[in-house]
Amino acid sequence: QVQLVESGGGLVQPGGSLRLSCVGSGGTFHEYAMGWFRQPPGKEREFVSAITRAGTRSYYAASVKGRFTISRDNAKATAYLQMNGLSPEDTAVYFCAARGPTVTGVYYTRDSDYNYWGQGTQVTVSS
């Protein structure tokens, strides 16, 4: 059973940056594609970014492209989401998710594609 634990959320001013981390355990991390999703207050959960198991390909929602960067360090069983240029519209609970074991070179953008989820970390962007 894969377990995912997010960290790095918090309160940040508009224009600021945060880096979220997602540590995986209980599985072979490098065999899993990873994704980040978020749920704004009062809204449905939405896709943010995804990365292949080797980290060679990634994909972003239009709302975050150019501001957020997804990455992973398989040796540390950790995925990251670097968030720059944050705005109040980025306020949400952020979740990491894992899909696998899966094939190489594929990322996933639907929450139904993922079989493991973290508990979430709150990101609040406010002055």
Side-chain angles (χ1 to χ4, degrees):
Q1 182 76 10
V2 173
Q3 294 183 327
L4 303 172
V5 179
E6 303 99 334
S7 62
L11 174 64
V12 62
Q13 292 187 341
S17 299
L18 282 175
R19 187 176 80 156
L20 305 183
S21 299
C22 172
V23 179
S25 62
T28 308
F29 189 80
H30 69 266
E31 293 183 345
Y32 291 77
M34 299 297 295
W36 286 95
F37 291 76
R38 66 186 182 186
Q39 186 165 17
K43 296 184 179 180
E44 297 290 316
R45 187 165 59 190
E46 62 186 27
F47 169 78
V48 175
S49 184
I51 192 167
T52 57
R53 51 181 268 179
T56 54
R57 298 177 67 211
S58 58
Y59 187 77
Y60 299 89
S63 59
V64 307
K65 192 173 183 179
R67 299 188 298 124
F68 291 11
T69 302
I70 191 171
S71 63
R72 64 189 295 162
D73 184 341
N74 286 342
K76 295 182 178 180
T78 303
Y80 303 96
L81 186 69
Q82 176 67 44
M83 306 186 295
N84 299 328
L86 286 163
S87 71
E89 290 69 36
D90 296 314
T91 294
V93 178
Y94 283 72
F95 300 89
C96 70
R99 154 73 180 250
T102 188
V103 298
T104 58
V106 180
Y107 52 71
Y108 302 89
T109 61
R110 300 176 303 178
D111 54 6
S112 59
D113 290 328
Y114 290 86
N115 40 355
Y116 300 103
W117 291 83
Q119 82 289 350
T121 185
Q122 177 70 47
V123 172
T124 303
V125 185
S126 175
S127 56

mmCIF file of all heavy atoms in Angstrom, residues 5 61-62 65 75 100 127:
data_model
loop_
_atom_site.group_PDB
_atom_site.id
_atom_site.type_symbol
_atom_site.label_atom_id
_atom_site.label_comp_id
_atom_site.label_asym_id
_atom_site.label_seq_id
_atom_site.Cartn_x
_atom_site.Cartn_y
_atom_site.Cartn_z
ATOM 1 N N VAL A 5 2.617 11.639 1.547
ATOM 2 C CA VAL A 5 2.511 12.696 2.549
ATOM 3 C C VAL A 5 3.011 13.996 1.941
ATOM 4 O O VAL A 5 4.188 14.102 1.572
ATOM 5 C CB VAL A 5 3.307 12.363 3.813
ATOM 6 C CG1 VAL A 5 3.200 13.508 4.823
ATOM 7 C CG2 VAL A 5 2.812 11.058 4.429
ATOM 8 N N ALA A 61 -1.826 22.332 -16.203
ATOM 9 C CA ALA A 61 -3.066 23.022 -16.489
ATOM 10 C C ALA A 61 -2.733 24.414 -17.013
ATOM 11 O O ALA A 61 -1.726 25.015 -16.623
ATOM 12 C CB ALA A 61 -3.921 23.127 -15.228
ATOM 13 N N ALA A 62 -3.589 24.928 -17.872
ATOM 14 C CA ALA A 62 -3.336 26.240 -18.466
ATOM 15 C C ALA A 62 -3.205 27.330 -17.413
ATOM 16 O O ALA A 62 -2.449 28.290 -17.578
ATOM 17 C CB ALA A 62 -4.453 26.578 -19.453
ATOM 18 N N LYS A 65 0.501 27.007 -16.024
ATOM 19 C CA LYS A 65 1.635 26.855 -16.932
ATOM 20 C C LYS A 65 2.473 28.116 -16.961
ATOM 21 O O LYS A 65 1.944 29.221 -17.055
ATOM 22 C CB LYS A 65 1.132 26.510 -18.331
ATOM 23 C CG LYS A 65 2.227 26.051 -19.268
ATOM 24 C CD LYS A 65 1.631 25.557 -20.579
ATOM 25 C CE LYS A 65 2.719 25.019 -21.491
ATOM 26 N NZ LYS A 65 2.164 24.512 -22.767
ATOM 27 N N ALA A 75 15.247 8.882 -6.208
ATOM 28 C CA ALA A 75 16.141 8.385 -5.163
ATOM 29 C C ALA A 75 15.629 8.762 -3.777
ATOM 30 O O ALA A 75 15.907 8.062 -2.798
ATOM 31 C CB ALA A 75 17.540 8.924 -5.367
ATOM 32 N N GLY A 100 -0.018 3.759 -10.384
ATOM 33 C CA GLY A 100 0.940 2.738 -10.762
ATOM 34 C C GLY A 100 0.736 1.439 -10.036
ATOM 35 O O GLY A 100 -0.224 1.286 -9.269
ATOM 36 N N SER A 127 -2.837 38.813 1.108
ATOM 37 C CA SER A 127 -2.040 39.896 1.664
ATOM 38 C C SER A 127 -2.540 40.278 3.051
ATOM 39 O O SER A 127 -1.977 41.156 3.700
ATOM 40 C CB SER A 127 -2.068 41.112 0.731
ATOM 41 O OG SER A 127 -3.398 41.508 0.486
#
